[in-house]
Amino acid sequence: YQNYNLKVNLNYVKGGVLALRGVQTGDFHIISSLPESVITGVAEGANVKLIGTLDDKSMYSIYVSKDIKDPNDLKGKSAASNVPGNGTDIQLQYWLKKHGLEPNKDVRIINSGENAGRLQALQQGQAAVTILSQPTDLKADEMGFKRLAVMRDELKTYNHNMIAANGDLIKNTPEVVYAFMAAEAEAVAFIKEKANREEVIKIAMEELEMNRADAEKS
């Protein structure tokens, strides 16, 4: 960001619905979010535009408790999800329907919040299935939970972490948006360059508070 004369303050919120609300109220100028909540917001009149993406595949995986062998075993069980309308919830329900399970009929949907809360629901037996992304999926692997499906195999064309901006920001100061996207593109290129692997791992450990093993796997 400094290379493009931008001062960016990073804020973390729990889910795309809250992030979208923040960009509408002016608390945030730009957000990174799953696309579903933004698309829904735009359909309802929100002055927000999708301007880019960080991942061109879903980063989610479906995890189940150790007694589940296939989707049919989930009938009568509970699924740990995020708030209704959040992209996490939409993807989980999409997967259930694709495998012949009607949400809140065959499988009860419970709101367990973000990744950590959903994994905890699985661990405590409150749910038999959930949807997780990195690095929480690595913790689920360590705990011995079964990765039943990888969403990028189910959704062939999907942009996971999308970048959205307030419409007024785009209209009034487009140079800020161009600079922000240029900085993002440069950062992604840096991360993907193999020569920078060690430095990227260190950044992940410091900024995301990951241990080295998880940072390396991610």
Side-chain angles (χ1 to χ4, degrees):
Y1 296 135
Q2 290 175 354
N3 291 344
Y4 292 89
N5 299 312
L6 292 176
K7 181 180 179 181
V8 179
N9 297 313
L10 297 175
N11 295 275
Y12 297 94
V13 296
K14 294 183 177 181
V17 174
L18 291 177
L20 177 66
R21 194 176 300 158
V23 84
Q24 287 180 272
T25 58
D27 291 334
F28 309 130
H29 299 99
I30 296 174
I31 59 172
S32 173
S33 165
L34 294 173
E36 291 88 349
S37 56
V38 177
I39 292 169
T40 300
V42 169
E44 294 174 349
N47 184 22
V48 181
K49 306 288 185 185
L50 291 168
I51 60 173
T53 186
L54 295 175
D55 308 289
D56 62 359
K57 293 180 177 64
S58 174
M59 304 299 288
Y60 279 121
S61 292
I62 300 294
Y63 277 85
V64 293
S65 54
K66 299 168 187 178
D67 59 319
I68 302 297
K69 305 299 181 187
D70 60 54
N72 289 328
D73 295 336
L74 293 170
K75 282 190 176 181
K77 307 285 188 180
S78 295
S81 186
N82 206 325
V83 295
N86 183 278
T88 306
D89 181 61
I90 290 173
Q91 282 196 58
L92 177 58
Q93 293 202 34
Y94 164 87
W95 183 85
L96 291 171
K97 290 177 182 178
K98 186 175 180 181
H99 292 273
L101 298 165
E102 188 63 31
N104 290 318
K105 182 179 178 183
D106 298 318
V107 179
R108 185 169 69 95
I109 308 295
I110 60 174
N111 178 7
S112 301
E114 290 295 290
N115 273 287
R118 298 196 299 274
L119 177 57
Q120 186 177 38
L122 197 64
Q123 186 181 12
Q124 294 178 349
Q126 297 169 347
V129 60
T130 193
I131 185 168
L132 301 172
S133 61
Q134 295 178 0
T136 313
D137 59 345
L138 302 177
K139 295 180 181 178
D141 289 336
E142 291 175 4
M143 293 177 181
F145 291 110
K146 186 185 301 179
R147 194 189 299 246
L148 194 61
V150 178
M151 286 304 295
R152 63 177 173 268
D153 295 334
E154 309 269 346
L155 289 168
K156 298 298 183 181
T157 55
Y158 181 84
N159 292 301
H160 188 101
N161 287 306
M162 297 204 72
I163 300 172
N166 181 284
D168 290 337
L169 176 72
I170 298 171
K171 181 179 179 180
N172 299 328
T173 53
E175 66 277 8
V176 172
V177 178
Y178 282 117
F180 183 87
M181 291 305 297
E184 290 292 330
E186 189 172 308
V188 170
F190 180 88
I191 290 168
K192 288 187 172 184
E193 177 57 54
K194 291 182 179 179
N196 299 327
R197 176 178 168 81
E198 186 60 32
E199 186 173 352
V200 171
I201 288 171
K202 288 181 179 178
I203 291 171
M205 291 172 65
E206 292 172 6
E207 298 295 334
L208 303 179
E209 298 181 353
M210 298 171 72
N211 62 50
R212 185 174 183 89
D214 287 349
E216 288 177 343
K217 288 177 185 176
S218 295

